[in-house]
Each structure stands twice: as C-alpha cells, then as structure tokens.
Amino acid sequence: MTTRCGWVNEDPLYVEYHDREWGVPVHDDGKLFEMLILEGAQAGLSWYTILKKREAYREAFDRFDPHKVARYDGEKIEELMNNAGIVRNRLKINAAVTNAQAFLRIAQEFGSFDRYIWQFVGGKPIRNAWTELKEVPAKTAESDAMSKDLRKRGFKFVGSTICYAYMQAVGMVNDHLTSCICYERNR
C-alpha cells in the first residue's frame, strides 16, 4: 500500500501534484512567481480548489509571465473579473499585478527572485520529520521573516501562513510526513 501525506485526496490531479511537485525545491523564477500568485489566490480557500483552476490561471495570467502581469491595466483586470475559470476576487487579482511589479524589482535587485527568496532558509531546504499532520505548523519564524520583508517591499496576500504554504510548495521546507512515499525523495 502506498502511503501519502494525509491531506491528499484520491483525485489523480492532487496525487500528481503531491507526488511530483509539492516539496520539490524550485529555483526557476517563473515557477516561483506562479506559485506565489497561486498561494495568494488560495487565501481563504483550499489548495485543491486552486489546483483545479491552475490551468485556467495559467491561460488567464499569460502563463505567469511577470513582465506581462506587471503591465495589466483596468481593462485586463475587468477581463479577469469576468473569467469563471479563476477566483474572481478583485483584491487578489489586483495583488497579482502589484506582486508582479514587486517581483521584478526584487529580481533586478538580487539578480533573480530565487536568490532573494531562498535566503530565508539559508539557501537550502529545511527538512522536518513530522509523523502526524497535526505536528505541521501553519507558520514559522522563517515564514514570519519572509512575510514581513515581502510586505515591506510592497507585496500583498503574503501573510506568514501564506508564506509557509509557499515555502512548502516550492520545497523550501520538506513537510512530507516521515511515512510518506515522498519524504526520502525530497532530501
């Protein structure tokens, strides 16, 4: 029997995400931007809801090209507000534009967003050893620091809990349970 983290349901899309993506270290700025926007869109919702809409998000947000998203105007925002394939929340959509602009400033300042964001974990993944879901924190000192710095740089929808979920998603922390088939892989 295959054992996965307890938050994964039986939907093949979710299993695929858990097995091949969640917790795998990401150093590609494009992917880091995509996950930042999607984690912000998740606020108040389940990740499963956002995951099912990810392809629609990719299409609606120009494959998450931060240069294009940073230039979205009122007309484009209204188009997004009418797109039933994404979460139609004006604050979240506006935040995606604001965050794209801030993302580009950071990438220019640090040479890449990757170089900036990974500093919050000392450049390498934190490897936890949780045996039960209830042990996994919602936020940490690292996510608090990340959230504070991102907000200072103008980002929206980057509270500490969102930042921790982001850190998990992009492999900055390995929060697979020790009994999970993916735990050893994500060393």
Side-chain angles (χ1 to χ4, degrees):
M1 183 172 106
T2 302
T3 304
R4 291 183 173 86
C5 297
W7 54 264
V8 182
N9 67 29
E10 296 299 319
D11 183 328
L13 180 68
Y14 216 23
V15 170
E16 177 81 5
Y17 172 74
H18 170 271
D19 290 1
R20 298 191 183 261
E21 232 181 300
W22 192 76
V24 175
V26 173
H27 293 283
D28 173 76
D29 271 13
K31 181 68 172 174
L32 289 168
F33 178 68
E34 174 181 347
M35 294 309 294
L36 189 66
I37 298 307
L38 292 176
E39 290 294 349
Q42 178 194 347
L45 304 169
S46 74
W47 176 249
Y48 183 56
T49 297
I50 300 304
L51 186 61
K52 291 187 297 183
K53 295 177 177 284
R54 181 157 64 169
E55 283 307 316
Y57 265 97
R58 285 175 173 160
E59 186 175 320
F61 282 86
D62 290 296
R63 312 303 296 170
F64 293 106
D65 179 335
H67 296 92
K68 290 181 180 179
V69 176
R71 293 191 307 267
Y72 285 1
D73 59 12
E75 184 178 325
K76 178 64 175 183
I77 289 169
E78 287 309 312
E79 177 187 316
L80 292 168
M81 285 295 297
N82 290 310
N83 185 332
I86 66 169
V87 175
R88 295 178 285 181
N89 177 302
R90 189 173 301 279
L91 292 175
K92 291 178 181 181
I93 292 170
N94 286 334
V97 177
T98 299
N99 290 353
Q101 295 162 352
F103 180 94
L104 292 173
R105 286 191 301 270
I106 286 175
Q108 183 173 15
E109 179 182 343
F110 287 82
S112 70
F113 188 78
D114 171 68
R115 189 171 295 138
Y116 162 78
I117 206 68
W118 277 85
Q119 73 179 339
F120 292 99
V121 292
K124 61 181 182 168
I126 295 170
R127 183 171 166 82
N128 292 313
W130 314 120
T131 59
E132 298 180 39
L133 282 177
K134 66 183 178 183
E135 295 176 289
V136 181
K139 61 183 186 167
T140 62
E142 292 86 0
S143 68
D144 288 347
M146 179 188 294
S147 173
K148 182 178 179 182
D149 198 67
L150 286 170
R151 285 194 320 260
K152 181 181 84 175
R153 292 171 180 276
F155 283 82
K156 307 290 183 204
F157 285 91
V158 289
S160 188
T161 301
I162 289 172
C163 285
Y164 195 68
Y166 178 75
M167 292 169 71
Q168 292 170 314
V170 301
M172 295 173 74
V173 295
N174 179 355
D175 273 350
H176 285 283
L177 299 181
T178 55
S179 59
C180 176
I181 61 169
C182 297
Y183 180 73
E184 287 300 325
R185 176 203 65 205
N186 292 344
R187 292 189 72 103

